[in-house]
């Protein structure tokens, strides 16, 4: 609901800006970018909720099928945008482009963006499963902020009020991201200490004083667990690198034409509609890959207890996994697509080096979800609560400074 309201509000503001001839960097334009940023950071901070859906009798959603329905969710949000392009085709095409085909609005760069987000979603889902909902977005957003800023300044040469100030603001944002990661680690350690203390107490062991060594985990984390954490961190970095480049196709799309066409509402919607349609094109390939993979695996042989695991027949396994991935994948794609609509407009008015890093502060929302809903972080402990508060303050100050310095 919040995403839908934000989209409608930004669409109306964009229409009004175009009607009165306001420039994209004017006060009205920056206000539109600010509204889009607020809506996008909330949606992007909530987009990973389905990544943490608890397993049922069929386990967690299959990653490939999850991405297929994620793509379908993106397409569904884009349908109204496509209809807008088709129904406003006649006047625009005859007046500005002189093309006669109704599909001339399609932008091939939308395919590049659609492929990019599928890659981001795959790495982000994997990272969240391995290191948690509080930790994974921290890695993704920190790397994404830096990547987007570098793209905006080095490749697109976007102007900022103060390069030093913007860089310092970005450093504060990254500090906040690191503090969130430290909060997660501290919470994990506190939980391990509490768990082992209870084990000692339940065994009836009496101690006149508690040695910190005695309440640490008695069995050190094994190589598989350490490897999973390391790979989860790597997956988060990869997601951040591709996420930071997400606005590159849109910027290339804009740079192909001159003003005022480049800043027009219809030209922006053309890219978003193309992006959504291209997302639909990726879904059949993902579904086919998952189907072939199940058949290559063949029948699942019964284990020593006579169980056949998921289901023995490939077709049955595929259909069960397909049904398991529909809801979480579709909801995730829908939320993300609404956030992407808003983030594109934030980038349009504030620039890739400023607008997109500000959108990434949606990590604040993700952290709150991690604390309140998933209990990934136990802020009742003084040390953990202090770290969490410092992280939030750093992110808020960094975002405010970056908005001013940009």
């Amino acid at each position: 609901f919040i995403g839908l309201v934000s989209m409608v509000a930004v669409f109306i503001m964009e229409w009004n800006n175009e009607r009165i001839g306001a420039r994209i960097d004017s006060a009205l334009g920056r206000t539109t970018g600010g509204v889009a940023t607020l809506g996008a950071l909330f949606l992007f901070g909530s987009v990973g909720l389905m990544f943490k859906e608890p397993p049922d009798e069929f386990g967690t959603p299959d990653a490939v099928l999850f991405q297929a329905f994620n793509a379908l969710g993106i397409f569904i949000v884009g349908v109204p945008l496509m209809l807008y392009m088709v129904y406003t085709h006649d006047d625009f095409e005859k007046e500005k482009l002189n093309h006669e085909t109704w599909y001339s609005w399609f932008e091939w760069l939308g395919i590049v963006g659609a492929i990019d987000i599928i890659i981001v979603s795959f790495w982000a889902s994997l990272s969240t499963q391995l290191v948690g909902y509080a930790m994974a977005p921290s890695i993704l957003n920190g790397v994404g902020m830096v990547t987007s800023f570098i793209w905006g300044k080095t490749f697109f040469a976007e102007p900022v009020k103060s390069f030093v100030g913007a860089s310092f603001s970005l450093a504060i944002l990254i500090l906040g991201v690191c503090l969130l990661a430290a909060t997660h680690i501290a919470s994990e350690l506190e939980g391990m200490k509490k768990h082992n203390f209870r084990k000692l107490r339940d065994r009836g062991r009496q101690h006149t004083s508690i040695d910190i060594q005695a309440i640490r985990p008695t069995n050190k984390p094994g190589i598989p667990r350490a490897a999973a954490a390391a790979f989860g961190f790597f997956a988060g970095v990869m997601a951040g690198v591709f996420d930071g480049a997400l606005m590159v196709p849109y910027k290339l799309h804009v740079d192909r034409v001159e003003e005022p066409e480049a800043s027009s509402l219809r030209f922006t919607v053309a890219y978003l509609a193309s992006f959504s349609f291209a997302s639909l094109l990726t879904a059949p390939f993902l579904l086919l890959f998952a189907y072939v993979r199940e058949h290559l695996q063949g029948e699942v042989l019964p284990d020593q207890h006579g169980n056949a695991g998921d289901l023995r027949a490939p077709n049955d396994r595929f259909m069960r996994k397909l049904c398991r991935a529909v809801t979480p994948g579709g909801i995730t794609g829908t939320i993300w697509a609404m956030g992407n609509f808003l983030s594109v407009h934030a980038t349009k008015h504030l620039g890739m080096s400023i607008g997109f890093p500000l959108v990434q502060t949606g990590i604040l929302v993700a952290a709150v979800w991690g604390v309140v809903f998933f209990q990934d972080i136990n802020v009742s402990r003084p040390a953990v609560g202090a770290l969490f508060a410092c992280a939030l303050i750093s992110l808020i100050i960094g975002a405010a400074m970056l908005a001013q310095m940009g």
Side-chain angles (χ1 to χ4, degrees):
F1 176 76
I2 294 176
L4 182 60
V5 170
S6 300
M7 286 180 64
V8 172
V10 169
F11 189 91
I12 293 174
M13 294 174 74
E14 288 280 22
W15 173 81
N16 183 63
N17 291 344
E18 187 172 326
R19 182 181 62 86
I20 63 177
R23 293 174 55 86
I24 60 174
D25 56 353
S26 66
L28 285 174
R30 295 181 72 83
T31 301
T32 304
V35 173
T37 298
L38 290 175
L41 68 88
F42 176 80
L43 290 167
F44 282 156
S46 306
V47 77
L49 291 176
M50 288 296 163
F51 291 167
K52 288 289 286 182
E53 187 181 21
D56 60 8
E57 56 181 316
F58 305 114
T60 57
D62 180 81
V64 176
L65 293 173
F66 184 96
Q67 301 313 318
F69 289 106
N70 179 72
L72 289 176
I74 295 173
F75 170 76
I76 290 172
V77 173
V79 169
L81 304 179
M82 298 176 208
L83 293 176
Y84 171 80
M85 295 302 300
V86 172
Y87 285 118
T88 60
H89 143 74
D90 290 337
D91 295 337
F92 185 84
E93 299 297 339
K94 291 178 181 178
E95 179 182 346
K96 296 186 177 181
L97 297 181
N98 296 318
H99 289 173
E100 297 180 357
T101 55
W102 63 269
Y103 54 85
S104 57
W105 53 265
F106 184 80
E107 171 59 76
W108 67 270
L109 286 168
I111 299 177
V112 179
I115 294 174
D116 184 277
I117 192 53
I118 293 298
I119 297 173
V120 171
S121 298
F122 172 79
W123 286 114
S125 175
L126 186 59
S127 179
T128 303
Q129 292 293 336
L130 292 174
V131 297
Y133 190 66
M135 184 75 164
S138 302
I139 302 168
L140 185 156
N141 283 270
V143 176
M145 287 175 183
V146 175
T147 305
S148 180
F149 185 80
I150 292 174
W151 272 107
K153 288 302 299 176
T154 60
F155 190 81
F156 295 106
E158 293 180 344
V160 294
K161 294 178 181 177
S162 170
F163 177 78
V164 175
S167 300
F168 182 68
S169 303
L170 193 64
I172 295 178
L173 283 174
I174 296 172
L175 173 63
V177 170
C178 293
L179 287 173
L180 269 183
T183 302
H184 178 79
I185 295 172
S187 180
E188 289 266 324
L189 291 175
E190 290 288 346
M192 292 164 65
K193 292 177 183 178
K194 187 176 181 180
H195 174 71
N196 282 276
F197 177 78
R198 286 177 176 173
K199 286 176 63 177
L200 293 177
R201 184 187 61 188
D202 293 343
R203 290 174 184 172
R205 298 177 62 175
Q206 301 295 324
H207 297 276
T208 56
S209 62
I210 300 177
D211 183 4
I212 191 67
Q213 297 292 337
I215 60 176
R216 285 180 177 171
T218 54
N219 50 341
K220 297 180 180 180
I223 293 178
R225 182 174 179 180
F231 191 72
F233 180 83
F234 171 77
V237 171
M238 292 300 297
V241 169
F242 283 96
D243 190 52
L246 185 60
M247 290 297 121
V248 171
Y250 169 70
K251 292 290 291 184
L252 294 174
H253 169 70
V254 171
D255 288 348
R256 291 172 57 189
V257 297
E258 301 293 333
E259 293 290 349
E261 183 183 348
S263 59
S264 68
L265 172 61
R266 198 175 191 281
F267 194 72
T268 304
V269 172
Y271 172 77
L272 290 165
S274 302
F275 185 103
S276 298
F277 184 77
S279 296
L280 177 66
L281 300 180
T282 65
F285 294 98
L286 294 170
L287 292 172
L288 179 62
F289 174 82
Y291 181 80
V292 172
R293 179 194 58 192
E294 292 299 326
H295 280 72
L296 289 177
Q297 183 181 355
E299 289 195 356
V300 176
L301 298 178
D303 58 21
Q304 58 182 346
H305 302 292
N307 299 318
D310 251 331
L311 289 165
R312 294 183 63 178
N315 284 337
D316 292 338
R317 286 201 313 272
F318 176 76
M319 291 306 301
R320 288 295 180 91
K321 290 182 178 181
L322 191 74
C323 295
R324 180 70 178 87
V326 169
T327 300
I331 292 176
T332 299
T334 300
I335 295 174
W336 186 90
M338 290 189 291
N340 185 54
F341 175 92
L342 297 169
S343 69
V344 165
H345 285 88
T347 301
K348 173 182 177 179
H349 292 283
L350 304 178
M352 186 175 177
S353 57
I354 302 298
F356 198 71
L358 286 177
V359 167
Q360 298 290 57
T361 55
I363 189 176
L364 285 168
V365 179
V368 172
W369 279 117
V371 170
V372 177
F373 191 72
F374 295 117
Q375 286 82 47
D376 281 342
I377 302 176
N378 181 13
V379 295
S380 62
R381 298 286 181 173
V384 178
L387 277 174
F388 186 69
C390 290
L392 295 185
I393 292 172
S394 296
L395 287 169
I396 293 172
I397 292 176
M401 289 181 61
L402 188 60
Q404 291 297 318
M405 296 299 175

